[in-house]
Amino acid sequence: MIGFAAGMEMADMAWEVKCREEDMKQRALENERHAIDDARRSVDEKAEQLKVLANQSALFAGFSMVVLVESNISGDINGILLTFFGGVTACVIALMLVSTLNSTYMLVAILRYDCVNRDVPFDEFWRKRCEP
């Protein structure tokens, strides 16, 4: 009877070990899924931010261009002031277009990020490639 109880106890321990190993495998899979979801969420968040930034820059450049073209400037205005106004407006347009292009290029870079294999964590990828 003692041998049978010891055998049952050993079988119970073996069953618990097996269940524990299966549980650890399942948790590792769940952790991997969570990591993939977190990476995708980070990529989507940064992509949305970059899309908004690119759109706002393009709008700002467009409005600046409209102001430059549509402004009614009288003939008796100082030439230096008029040149300064045109130069500043042209600089604003150029900088906003550069901002739009930079946002678009960064958007392409992060959309190419592999969320499944993740050779590099997304935060590190963002810091290396997108932040100054």
Side-chain angles (χ1 to χ4, degrees):
M1 190 70 158
I2 293 177
F4 180 71
M8 289 298 290
E9 190 174 317
M10 290 291 283
D12 241 5
M13 285 177 51
W15 178 256
E16 287 178 11
V17 167
K18 181 183 176 206
C19 288
R20 178 71 178 152
E21 288 173 355
E22 288 177 1
D23 188 44
M24 294 298 286
K25 288 178 185 175
Q26 184 64 31
R27 287 180 189 224
L29 284 174
E30 287 177 11
N31 288 340
E32 184 65 23
R33 285 187 194 122
H34 287 299
I36 291 171
D37 289 342
D38 289 344
R40 284 187 180 146
R41 200 172 11 259
S42 295
V43 167
D44 290 342
E45 178 185 346
K46 293 295 183 184
E48 273 305 308
Q49 290 173 353
L50 287 170
K51 286 177 188 176
V52 168
L53 179 65
N55 287 337
Q56 286 178 343
S57 297
L59 281 173
F60 202 94
F63 288 139
S64 298
M65 179 72 92
V66 168
V67 165
L68 183 61
V69 171
E70 296 293 327
S71 56
N72 293 328
I73 300 173
S74 62
D76 62 345
I77 195 164
N78 187 351
I80 294 174
L81 187 60
L82 182 61
T83 304
F84 183 71
F85 171 72
V88 168
T89 306
C91 284
V92 167
I93 293 168
L95 290 174
M96 289 300 116
L97 290 177
V98 166
S99 173
T100 301
L101 288 173
N102 282 341
S103 298
T104 304
Y105 291 146
M106 285 192 301
L107 181 61
V108 168
I110 67 166
L111 288 178
R112 291 185 54 171
Y113 179 74
D114 188 5
C115 293
V116 176
N117 293 331
R118 292 182 322 279
D119 298 328
V120 150
F122 181 74
D123 294 333
E124 185 178 330
F125 174 85
W126 178 259
R127 271 186 261 119
K128 280 183 179 177
R129 295 194 178 188
C130 300
E131 288 184 358

